[in-house]
């Protein structure tokens, strides 16, 4: 349904995420050069490319875990300009709009699963403990992890930990979810359960940006595919189109390497 | 200036006590480490007990036992002998623990690879495990040596005329206690700086020789 | 051997009285020193210059100088500045300084070893700097530092034996006065040593146990 709306009036739908002319370098090592990107409401954008291409850096710049040297980021109307000093308030607002899921989960090991999901709601949204726990249990149930609520993260498998991390991010009601190689640290078999959850999330109309090496996910779930290499975007468009008929030589080389092993 | 001179007279003994105790400690630690790694329950238990006892009783008590308590016939240990010996055996216990930790920090795969390559036991120790152990032990060893430098001051309690002994003597004579003890503190801090630098230097050198 | 038992029976109560003073001194120094240590652990890297310099001074001198020097400084030195403290108070002050200095470094080390990913995670969730410290860094940092803090407490308890040099009537001082009046030095010091060991050794085991217990969720 939402898909349909976007296709009917693409002009009127304001993009949830807009990245304009992002650039970043560590000394003489340029990691991002002039990256611009826009993510439509309810769409799933997959970012692929060889390692070191700058995919994760783009994602980490989106919620300012990394400070870009120049460029502009707009998420859900909250605008951050790399040139200007960011106020803590607008930074907090931007981060509240963007939920992030890391490669290594980054759960808090000294808290139970339930506390992991509830604490940010209490501290960031100002929810009461009851409200937060209720919402957390609902999300954990949706992730199929209701029985893990009182366990510590270390007692959960990698796939379960990653789903807890997704629940933790979703609990803050983000407008967009950013996934930084969410399955790269997992066994392929375990990665599937995480991908299932992500697929389900996409079907509910959540806006998502996913840095990934899972080509099947990129092809079947994503609406938009972004191919990056050497700190820049070399190709973007419909996933099926790009995977079938890549325009750029670098894309072809990358796809051959991934698909032919 | 006069004060500095009065305190500095104690410097050689502070250094001497530290170095001798460290040497005794290092040598005595080796058989204790072997005991701590032994598969023989009895030997292990005795070594474990020895380490716990040596570390469980404050150094000053060991020094008093050696100085006031031990006499072989009419012969008693001199203050310096008792001080060095007491601090040395206590150091042995701490160093044994440090060495044991460093040996167990060498990955199991190193032993397995050495056996798979058919190395002789002695070769494994001298060429494979030994260097990696030394590398792992250096930071803790130098930290301990700096601690020992400060603990050498305990020898003043049985009358070894090192820095603290000289300081309190001077403080009593001159009546300028605060300054004297701050100067003494400063000397200890200055002495530990080169030790710290040496540690860093060795660490870097070993890191190059034994990468990881 | 018989001698040892005789001495233990005859002077046991006096020595136990001394042990009580030793333990009191240990607990007081920990109770005062640990909170100051937590403060200094932030102080040594603080942006505020005055706070940083004061913290660095107390931490470096407290760690760099032998406890014996600090004890004598407080007892024999402070009267020069017209501050005369009782022997117990000056010993307590000196050992509090030692505690604050060492614990500051141990706590800082603990907080530094909190994985950066978790701090990043709390930032990405939009948690404030203060909340990140309060809920993620400090609890875990203290948890990581706890076994080494317990190890330090054992060393501190042993260091109270040096307070005999400033006339605190603790275990060592009792043992010494019994020794010098009866010339039974060896048995008295052995009994005193065993009393120290009876506290230190189990306490060390406890700190090893704590390390295992606390790392179970990590």
């Amino acid at each position: 349904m939402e898909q349909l709306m976007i296709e009917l009036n693409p002009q009127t739908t304001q993009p949830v995420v807009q990245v304009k002319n992002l650039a970043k370098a560590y000394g003489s090592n340029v990691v991002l050069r002039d990256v611009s990107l826009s993510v439509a409401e309810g769409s799933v954008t997959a970012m692929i490319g060889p390692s070191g291409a700058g995919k994760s850096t783009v994602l980490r710049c989106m919620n300012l875990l990394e400070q870009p040297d120049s460029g502009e980021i707009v998420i859900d109307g909250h605008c951050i300009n790399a040139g200007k000093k960011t106020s803590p308030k607008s930074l907090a607002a931007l981060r509240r709009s963007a939920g992030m899921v890391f490669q290594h989960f980054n759960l808090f090991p000294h808290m139970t699963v339930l506390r992991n999901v509830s604490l940010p709601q209490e501290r960031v949204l100002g929810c009461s403990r009851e409200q937060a726990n209720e919402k957390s249990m609902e999300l954990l149930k949706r992730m199929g992890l209701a029985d893990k609520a009182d366990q510590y993260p270390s007692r959960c498998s990698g796939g379960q930990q990653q789903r807890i991390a997704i629940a933790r991010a979703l609990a803050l009601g983000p407008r967009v979810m950013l996934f930084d190689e969410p399955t790269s640290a997992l066994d392929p078999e375990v990665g599937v359960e995480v991908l299932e959850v992500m697929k389900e999330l996409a079907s509910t109309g959540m806006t998502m940006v996913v840095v990934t090496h899972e080509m099947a996910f990129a092809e079947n779930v994503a609406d938009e595919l972004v191919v990056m290499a050497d700190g820049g975007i070399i190709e973007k468009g419909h996933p099926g189109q790009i995977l079938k008929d890549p325009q750029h030589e670098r894309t072809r080389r990358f796809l051959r390497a991934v698909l032919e092993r | 200036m006069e004060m500095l001179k009065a305190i500095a007279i104690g410097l050689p003994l502070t250094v001497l006590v530290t170095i001798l105790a460290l040497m005794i400690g290092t040598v005595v630690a080796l058989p204790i480490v072997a005991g701590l790694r032994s598969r023989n329950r009895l030997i292990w238990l005795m070594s474990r007990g020895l380490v716990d006892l040596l570390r469980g009783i404050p150094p000053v008590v060991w020094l008093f036992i050696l100085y006031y308590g031990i006499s072989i016939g009419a012969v008693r240990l001199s203050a310096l002998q008792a001080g060095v010996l007491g601090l040395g055996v206590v150091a042995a216990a701490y160093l044994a623990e440090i060495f044991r930790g460093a040996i167990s920090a060498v990955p199991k795969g190193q032993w397995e690879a050495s056996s798979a390559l058919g190395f002789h036991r002695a070769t494994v120790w001298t060429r494979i495990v030994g260097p990696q152990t030394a590398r792992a032990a250096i930071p803790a060893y130098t930290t301990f040596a700096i601690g020992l430098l400060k603990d050498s001051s305990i020898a003043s309690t049985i009358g070894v005329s090192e820095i603290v002994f000289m300081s309190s003597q001077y403080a009593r004579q001159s009546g300028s206690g605060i300054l004297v003890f701050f100067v003494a503190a400063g000397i200890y801090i200055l002495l530990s700086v080169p030790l710290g630098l040496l540690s860093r230097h060795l660490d870097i050198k070993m890191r190059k020789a034994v990468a990881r | 051997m018989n001698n040892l038992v005789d001495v233990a029976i005859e002077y046991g109560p006096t020595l136990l009285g001394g042990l009580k003073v030793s333990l009191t001194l240990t607990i007081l120094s920990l109770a005062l020193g640990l909170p100051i240590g937590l403060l200094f652990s932030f102080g040594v890297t603080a942006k505020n210059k005055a706070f940083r310099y004061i913290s660095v001074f107390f931490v470096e001198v407290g760690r760099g100088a032998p406890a014996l020097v600090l004890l004598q400084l407080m007892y024999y030195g402070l009267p020069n500045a017209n501050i005369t403290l009782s022997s117990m108070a000056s010993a307590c002050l000196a050992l509090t300084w030692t505690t604050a200095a060492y614990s500051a470094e141990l706590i800082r080390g603990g907080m530094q070893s909190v994985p950066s990913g978790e701090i990043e995670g709390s930032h990405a969730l939009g948690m404030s700097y203060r909340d990140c410290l309060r809920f993620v860094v400090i609890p875990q940092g203290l948890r990581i530092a706890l076994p080494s803090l317990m190890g330090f407490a054992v060393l501190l308890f042993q260091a109270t034996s040096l307070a005999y040099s400033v006339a605190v009537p603790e275990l060592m001082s009792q043992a010494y006065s019994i020794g010098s009046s009866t010339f039974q030095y060896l048995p008295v010091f052995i009994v005193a040593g065993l009393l120290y060991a009876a506290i230190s050794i189990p306490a060390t085991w406890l700190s090893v146990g704590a390390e295992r217990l606390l790392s179970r969720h990590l």
Side-chain angles (χ1 to χ4, degrees), chain A residues 60 63 65 95 98 100 102 106-111 119-120 123-124 152 154 168 172, chain C residues 117-127 131 134-136 139-140 143 216-218:
Chain A
R60 291 163 59 83
N63 63 359
L65 284 178
R95 283 179 172 164
M100 176 113 180
F102 298 89
N106 293 350
L107 294 173
F108 305 130
H110 58 306
M111 298 176 193
L119 181 80
R123 301 308 303 177
V124 179
Y152 282 86
S154 59
R168 182 175 72 170
L172 297 177
Chain C
E118 286 163 33
I119 297 163
E120 220 167 51
S122 69
H123 288 328
L125 289 164
M127 285 165 70
D131 276 356
R134 180 172 152 201
F135 292 103
V136 181
Q140 287 201 83
R143 205 174 276 235
R216 73 189 191 284
H217 295 316
L218 301 177

Side-chain angles (χ1 to χ4, degrees), chain B residues 99-151:
Chain B
F99 295 158
R100 190 188 60 83
I103 292 171
S104 57
V106 175
K108 219 174 133 206
Q110 296 291 312
W111 294 94
E112 287 170 359
S114 307
S115 316
L117 291 167
F119 282 154
H120 198 268
R121 238 179 112 78
T123 319
V124 179
W125 277 106
T126 55
R127 296 302 183 83
I128 313 293
V129 175
Q132 295 188 58
T133 300
R135 157 86 190 82
I138 279 180
Y141 188 86
T142 40
T143 305
F144 180 79
I146 294 172
L148 187 61
L149 172 74
K150 291 184 289 165
D151 277 353

Side-chain angles (χ1 to χ4, degrees), chain B residues 52-53 55-61 64-65 68-70 94 150 153-154 156-157 164 168 175-178 181-182 184-185 188-189, chain C residues 57 60-61 63-66 68-69 72-73 77-78 80-81 102 155 158 161-162 164 172 176 185-186 189 193 196-197 200-201 205:
Chain B
D52 280 355
L53 199 66
R55 297 197 307 172
I57 296 176
V60 67
V61 179
F64 275 36
I65 288 175
Y68 294 106
I70 303 280
Y94 281 96
K150 291 184 289 165
S153 65
I154 296 171
S156 71
T157 59
V164 172
S168 38
S176 57
I178 289 197
F181 291 116
F182 267 118
Y188 280 100
I189 293 171
Chain C
F57 170 79
E60 288 306 315
V61 175
R63 278 160 30 98
L68 206 50
V69 170
Q72 309 225 351
L73 173 72
L78 280 188
N80 287 139
Y102 277 94
L155 290 179
Q158 296 198 355
S161 63
L162 298 173
Y164 98 95
M172 197 59 210
Y176 186 71
Y185 283 113
L186 190 61
F189 286 142
Y196 278 112
S200 314
I201 295 176
W205 292 340

Side-chain angles (χ1 to χ4, degrees), chain C residues 60-93:
Chain C
E60 288 306 315
V61 175
R63 278 160 30 98
L68 206 50
V69 170
L70 296 180
L71 283 163
Q72 309 225 351
L73 173 72
M74 295 300 175
Y75 190 63
Y76 296 113
L78 280 188
N80 287 139
N82 287 322
I83 307 169
T84 307
L85 298 172
S86 73
S87 58
M88 186 68 178
S90 50
C92 191
L93 205 59

Side-chain angles (χ1 to χ4, degrees), chain C residues 135-146:
Chain C
F135 292 103
V136 181
V137 177
I138 292 180
Q140 287 201 83
L142 287 181
R143 205 174 276 235
I144 295 168
L146 191 69

